Amino acid sequence: MSASNGANPSPHADTANVSLPHDRDRIDALQSALMEAVERAGYPKPSRFAIKLAFEEALMNAFHHGHQGMDDDLEVRVEYEVDPSIVIIRVEDQGPGFNPDKVPDPTLDENLALPSGRGIMLMRAYMTEVAHNASGNRVELRYVRPED
Amino acid sequence: MAADSRLRVKSIEGVTQVEFIDRNILDEANIQAIGDEISELIEQADTPNLLLSFSNVDHLSSAALGALITINNKVKAKGGALRLANIDPQIYEVFMITRLNKLFEIHETTDDALKAFA
């Protein structure tokens, strides 16, 4: 791991730790709070675009794939830490988990016309680091502020 | 079109031009509503020529990309054509990362796209 990837938030980071129901108004409220924290921390527009996209993808993966076939009332645990040097987002669902490496590559010609399977690749493209726990029901996104 | 439509729709010389009203095309309910509205437009046309303008759109998610692919499949199934235009550079990058710029015919402006239908 590079030194920059190992950056840790300061004790003064803007943080949240909530259990989120599958309710768009609640998701939007948390997303707005996160994006306001990211803006306060001085991240430029491309960073804000990346963080908003990855946050959305992580949440939708948790609710739609993580909890697939399960009770829609199940909540997802979301934590974030926003610091001027790094943003960390953790999303944990209550499902059995999955192996992210088994998701077919959506950029292959034969998969281009498939309507799903792009969430993980977008998170990986836009975040500095995307790590799943061993059971695959928890993802940690790390976004290290780019050099000016 | 429903009173709470999320689209501005007009027909110009046999091309149905659709402009998204929302700045964010992220959540599933929104995407479902947009997909349903556009599917209705496709069903109404014998040979759908559809132009989607993204001029107001700041953010979209992989679920929105999925809906666009479904729309593309429906248009193709009826022998029509789908073109996209006015895509913000940051969003165009999403199309490039996913290689969907190879699947969709994307034009810089609606005028360019309209000319390509001619």
Side-chain angles (χ1 to χ4, degrees):
Chain A
M1 188 179 283
S2 73
S4 61
N5 284 7
N8 285 311
S10 74
H12 308 296
D14 224 325
T15 64
N17 183 344
V18 297
S19 184
L20 199 60
H22 194 187
D23 176 293
R24 194 64 218 183
D25 289 341
R26 295 279 302 278
I27 294 171
D28 284 346
L30 186 64
Q31 188 179 72
S32 294
L34 167 66
M35 295 317 297
E36 282 164 19
V38 168
E39 194 156 1
R40 272 197 301 277
Y43 283 84
K45 192 173 169 232
S47 299
R48 300 201 300 271
F49 180 89
I51 292 164
K52 186 170 177 173
L53 180 61
F55 178 80
E56 178 73 25
E57 298 299 339
L59 276 180
M60 289 308 104
N61 271 353
F63 283 117
H64 289 285
H65 301 296
H67 290 170
Q68 194 170 29
M70 298 173 75
D71 190 340
D72 198 42
D73 291 338
L74 284 177
E75 299 196 344
V76 164
R77 169 68 53 185
V78 183
E79 296 172 51
Y80 66 70
E81 300 167 36
V82 178
D83 181 275
S85 63
I86 187 168
V87 176
I88 301 174
I89 299 166
R90 299 183 191 93
V91 176
E92 181 171 351
D93 63 60
Q94 299 183 55
F98 78 116
N99 182 348
D101 296 327
K102 292 265 171 73
V103 177
D105 181 351
T107 64
L108 296 177
D109 283 346
E110 61 265 33
N111 294 335
L112 269 189
L114 295 179
S116 62
R118 293 177 178 82
I120 292 174
M121 80 158 299
L122 285 175
M123 286 191 276
R124 285 177 174 154
Y126 280 100
M127 294 290 99
T128 311
E129 192 180 340
V130 176
H132 287 84
N133 65 348
S135 55
N137 70 328
R138 183 174 188 269
V139 66
E140 179 174 292
L141 312 174
R142 295 173 80 89
Y143 183 85
V144 176
R145 187 194 181 103
E147 302 286 333
D148 289 331
Chain B
M1 201 59 63
D4 58 351
S5 173
R6 294 169 178 279
L7 309 172
R8 273 188 211 101
V9 182
K10 57 184 176 185
S11 278
I12 302 169
E13 294 171 5
V15 178
T16 305
Q17 195 173 327
V18 175
E19 189 177 40
F20 297 106
I21 293 171
D22 295 290
R23 300 184 75 80
N24 295 309
I25 308 180
L26 294 171
D27 68 276
E28 64 266 52
N30 182 350
I31 291 165
Q32 177 78 42
I34 287 171
D36 288 350
E37 274 196 67
I38 295 177
S39 293
E40 206 176 303
L41 295 171
I42 296 167
E43 280 159 27
Q44 286 165 3
D46 291 332
T47 307
N49 283 325
L50 195 60
L51 166 54
L52 303 182
S53 168
F54 289 74
S55 55
N56 300 317
V57 180
D58 291 334
H59 289 272
L60 52 70
S61 62
S62 66
L65 297 176
L68 290 175
I69 290 168
T70 301
I71 289 165
N72 192 40
N73 292 342
K74 287 181 179 175
V75 167
K76 292 263 165 66
K78 289 194 81 173
L82 173 69
R83 293 191 166 90
L84 315 182
N86 289 336
I87 299 180
D88 170 89
Q90 273 188 321
I91 293 182
Y92 187 70
E93 193 179 63
V94 174
F95 281 86
M96 287 201 296
I97 289 167
T98 53
R99 285 191 72 229
L100 289 176
N101 57 325
K102 305 289 178 198
L103 186 77
F104 294 114
E105 199 169 313
I106 300 176
H107 297 269
E108 208 157 308
T109 66
T110 47
D111 280 349
D112 290 345
L114 283 171
K115 279 179 203 152
F117 278 110

